[in-house]
Coordinates of all heavy atoms in Angstrom, one line a residue:
E1 N 8.9 -13.7 -6.8 CA 8.0 -14.6 -7.4 C 6.7 -13.8 -7.6 O 6.4 -12.9 -6.8 CB 7.7 -15.8 -6.6 CG 9.0 -16.7 -6.4 CD 9.4 -17.3 -7.8 OE1 8.6 -17.7 -8.6 OE2 10.7 -17.3 -8.0
Y2 N 5.8 -14.2 -8.5 CA 4.5 -13.6 -8.7 C 3.7 -13.8 -7.4 O 3.8 -14.9 -6.8 CB 3.7 -14.1 -9.9 CG 4.3 -13.7 -11.2 CD1 4.9 -14.5 -12.0 CD2 4.2 -12.3 -11.6 CE1 5.4 -14.1 -13.3 CE2 4.7 -11.9 -12.8 CZ 5.3 -12.8 -13.6 OH 5.8 -12.4 -14.8
Q3 N 3.0 -12.8 -7.0 CA 2.2 -12.8 -5.7 C 1.1 -11.8 -5.8 O 1.1 -10.9 -6.6 CB 3.1 -12.5 -4.6 CG 3.8 -11.1 -4.7 CD 4.9 -10.9 -3.7 OE1 4.7 -11.2 -2.5 NE2 6.1 -10.5 -4.1
P4 N 0.0 -12.1 -5.0 CA -1.1 -11.2 -5.0 C -0.7 -9.8 -4.4 O 0.2 -9.8 -3.6 CB -2.2 -11.9 -4.2 CG -1.5 -12.9 -3.4 CD -0.2 -13.2 -4.2
G5 N -1.3 -8.8 -4.8 CA -1.0 -7.5 -4.3 C -2.3 -6.8 -3.7 O -3.4 -7.4 -3.8
R6 N -2.1 -5.7 -3.1 CA -3.2 -4.9 -2.6 C -3.0 -3.5 -2.9 O -1.9 -3.0 -3.0 CB -3.5 -5.2 -1.2 CG -2.3 -4.7 -0.3 CD -2.7 -4.9 1.2 NE -1.6 -4.4 2.0 CZ -1.4 -3.1 2.4 NH1 -2.2 -2.2 1.9 NH2 -0.4 -2.7 3.1
A7 N -4.1 -2.7 -3.1 CA -4.0 -1.3 -3.3 C -4.3 -0.5 -2.0 O -5.2 -0.8 -1.3 CB -4.9 -0.9 -4.4
G8 N -3.4 0.5 -1.7 CA -3.6 1.3 -0.5 C -4.5 2.5 -0.9 O -4.9 2.7 -2.0
P9 N -4.8 3.3 0.2 CA -5.7 4.5 0.0 C -5.0 5.6 -0.7 O -5.6 6.6 -1.2 CB -6.1 4.9 1.4 CG -5.0 4.3 2.3 CD -4.5 3.1 1.6
T10 N -3.5 5.5 -0.9 CA -2.7 6.6 -1.5 C -2.9 6.7 -3.0 O -2.4 7.6 -3.7 CB -1.2 6.4 -1.2 OG1 -0.8 5.2 -1.8 CG2 -0.9 6.4 0.2
R11 N -3.8 5.7 -3.8 CA -4.1 5.6 -5.2 C -2.8 5.5 -6.0 O -2.7 6.1 -7.1 CB -5.0 6.7 -5.7 CG -6.4 6.6 -5.3 CD -7.1 5.6 -6.1 NE -8.5 5.5 -5.6 CZ -9.5 5.0 -6.2 NH1 -9.3 4.6 -7.5 NH2 -10.7 4.9 -5.7
A12 N -1.8 4.8 -5.4 CA -0.6 4.5 -6.2 C -0.6 3.1 -6.6 O -1.1 2.2 -5.9 CB 0.6 4.8 -5.3
G13 N -0.1 2.8 -7.8 CA -0.2 1.4 -8.2 C 1.2 1.0 -8.7 O 2.1 1.8 -9.0
L14 N 1.4 -0.3 -8.8 CA 2.6 -0.9 -9.3 C 2.3 -2.1 -10.1 O 1.5 -2.9 -9.7 CB 3.5 -1.2 -8.1 CG 4.8 -2.0 -8.4 CD1 5.8 -1.1 -9.2 CD2 5.5 -2.4 -7.1
T15 N 2.9 -2.3 -11.2 CA 2.8 -3.5 -12.0 C 4.1 -4.2 -12.2 O 5.1 -3.5 -12.3 CB 2.1 -3.2 -13.4 OG1 1.9 -4.4 -14.1 CG2 3.0 -2.3 -14.2
A16 N 4.1 -5.5 -12.1 CA 5.3 -6.2 -12.4 C 5.5 -6.5 -13.9 O 6.5 -7.0 -14.3 CB 5.2 -7.6 -11.7
L17 N 4.5 -6.1 -14.7 CA 4.5 -6.3 -16.1 C 5.2 -5.1 -16.8 O 5.4 -4.0 -16.2 CB 3.1 -6.4 -16.7 CG 2.3 -7.5 -16.1 CD1 0.9 -7.5 -16.6 CD2 2.9 -8.9 -16.3
G18 N 5.6 -5.3 -18.0 CA 6.3 -4.2 -18.8 C 7.8 -4.2 -18.8 O 8.4 -3.3 -19.2
H19 N 8.3 -5.3 -18.2 CA 9.8 -5.4 -18.2 C 10.4 -5.5 -19.6 O 11.4 -4.8 -19.9 CB 10.2 -6.7 -17.4 CG 11.6 -6.8 -17.2 ND1 12.4 -5.9 -16.5 CD2 12.5 -7.8 -17.6 CE1 13.6 -6.3 -16.4 NE2 13.7 -7.4 -17.1
A20 N 9.7 -6.2 -20.5 CA 10.2 -6.4 -21.9 C 9.5 -5.3 -22.7 O 8.3 -5.1 -22.6 CB 9.9 -7.8 -22.4
S21 N 10.2 -4.6 -23.6 CA 9.6 -3.6 -24.4 C 8.5 -4.2 -25.3 O 7.6 -3.4 -25.7 CB 10.7 -2.9 -25.2 OG 11.4 -3.8 -26.1
E22 N 8.6 -5.4 -25.7 CA 7.6 -6.0 -26.5 C 6.2 -6.0 -25.9 O 5.2 -6.0 -26.6 CB 8.0 -7.5 -26.9 CG 9.2 -7.7 -27.7 CD 10.5 -7.6 -26.9 OE1 10.4 -7.7 -25.6 OE2 11.6 -7.5 -27.5
A23 N 6.2 -6.0 -24.6 CA 4.9 -6.0 -23.9 C 4.1 -4.7 -24.2 O 2.9 -4.8 -24.2 CB 5.1 -6.0 -22.3
H24 N 4.7 -3.7 -24.6 CA 4.1 -2.4 -24.8 C 3.3 -2.5 -26.1 O 2.4 -1.6 -26.4 CB 5.1 -1.3 -24.8 CG 5.7 -1.1 -23.5 ND1 5.7 0.1 -22.8 CD2 6.4 -2.0 -22.7 CE1 6.3 0.0 -21.7 NE2 6.7 -1.3 -21.6
D25 N 3.5 -3.5 -27.0 CA 2.8 -3.7 -28.2 C 1.6 -4.6 -28.0 O 0.7 -4.7 -28.9 CB 3.6 -4.3 -29.3 CG 4.7 -3.4 -29.8 OD1 4.5 -2.1 -29.7 OD2 5.8 -3.8 -30.1
D26 N 1.4 -5.1 -26.8 CA 0.4 -6.1 -26.5 C -0.9 -5.4 -26.0 O -0.9 -4.5 -25.1 CB 0.8 -7.0 -25.4 CG -0.2 -8.1 -25.1 OD1 -0.3 -9.1 -25.9 OD2 -0.9 -7.9 -24.1
A27 N -2.0 -5.7 -26.7 CA -3.3 -5.0 -26.4 C -3.7 -5.3 -24.9 O -4.3 -4.3 -24.3 CB -4.4 -5.4 -27.3
D28 N -3.5 -6.5 -24.4 CA -3.9 -6.8 -23.0 C -3.0 -5.9 -22.1 O -3.5 -5.5 -21.0 CB -3.7 -8.3 -22.7 CG -4.8 -9.1 -23.4 OD1 -5.9 -8.6 -23.7 OD2 -4.5 -10.3 -23.7
F29 N -1.8 -5.8 -22.4 CA -0.9 -5.0 -21.5 C -1.3 -3.5 -21.5 O -1.4 -2.9 -20.5 CB 0.6 -5.1 -21.9 CG 1.5 -4.2 -21.1 CD1 1.7 -4.5 -19.7 CD2 2.1 -3.1 -21.6 CE1 2.5 -3.8 -18.9 CE2 2.9 -2.3 -20.8 CZ 3.1 -2.6 -19.5
R30 N -1.7 -3.0 -22.7 CA -2.1 -1.6 -22.7 C -3.4 -1.4 -22.0 O -3.7 -0.4 -21.3 CB -2.2 -1.2 -24.2 CG -0.9 -1.0 -24.9 CD -0.9 -0.3 -26.2 NE -1.9 -0.8 -27.1 CZ -1.7 -1.7 -28.0 NH1 -0.5 -2.2 -28.2 NH2 -2.7 -2.1 -28.8
A31 N -4.3 -2.4 -22.1 CA -5.6 -2.4 -21.3 C -5.3 -2.4 -19.8 O -6.0 -1.7 -19.0 CB -6.5 -3.5 -21.7
H32 N -4.3 -3.2 -19.4 CA -3.9 -3.2 -18.0 C -3.4 -1.9 -17.5 O -3.8 -1.4 -16.5 CB -2.7 -4.3 -17.9 CG -2.0 -4.3 -16.6 ND1 -2.6 -4.8 -15.4 CD2 -0.8 -4.0 -16.3 CE1 -1.8 -4.7 -14.5 NE2 -0.6 -4.3 -14.9
L33 N -2.6 -1.2 -18.3 CA -2.1 0.1 -18.0 C -3.3 1.1 -17.9 O -3.3 2.0 -17.0 CB -1.1 0.6 -19.0 CG 0.3 -0.1 -19.0 CD1 1.2 0.5 -20.0 CD2 0.9 0.0 -17.6
L34 N -4.1 1.1 -18.9 CA -5.3 2.0 -18.9 C -6.1 1.8 -17.7 O -6.6 2.8 -17.1 CB -6.1 1.9 -20.2 CG -7.3 2.8 -20.4 CD1 -6.9 4.3 -20.3 CD2 -8.0 2.5 -21.6
G35 N -6.4 0.6 -17.3 CA -7.2 0.3 -16.1 C -6.5 0.9 -14.9 O -7.2 1.5 -14.1
G36 N -5.2 0.7 -14.8 CA -4.5 1.3 -13.6 C -4.5 2.8 -13.6 O -4.7 3.4 -12.5
I37 N -4.3 3.4 -14.7 CA -4.4 4.9 -14.8 C -5.8 5.4 -14.5 O -5.9 6.4 -13.8 CB -3.9 5.4 -16.2 CG1 -2.4 5.1 -16.4 CG2 -4.2 6.8 -16.4 CD1 -1.9 5.2 -17.8

């Protein structure tokens, strides 16, 4: 189920988004990825 996450000091991230290929065309999803990177 969706749940809050936390980031550790190892600067690794994980997103639960992106399962569907259509998400990659979404501007909000791309902004989410850019923010994580």
Side-chain angles (χ1 to χ4, degrees):
E1 297 296 321
Y2 287 112
Q3 55 191 313
R6 65 178 180 79
T10 62
R11 287 283 174 159
L14 175 66
T15 182
L17 303 175
H19 186 64
S21 61
E22 295 83 11
H24 297 236
D25 293 329
D26 182 80
D28 289 333
F29 178 69
R30 290 194 309 268
H32 171 70
L33 291 181
L34 180 59
I37 292 167

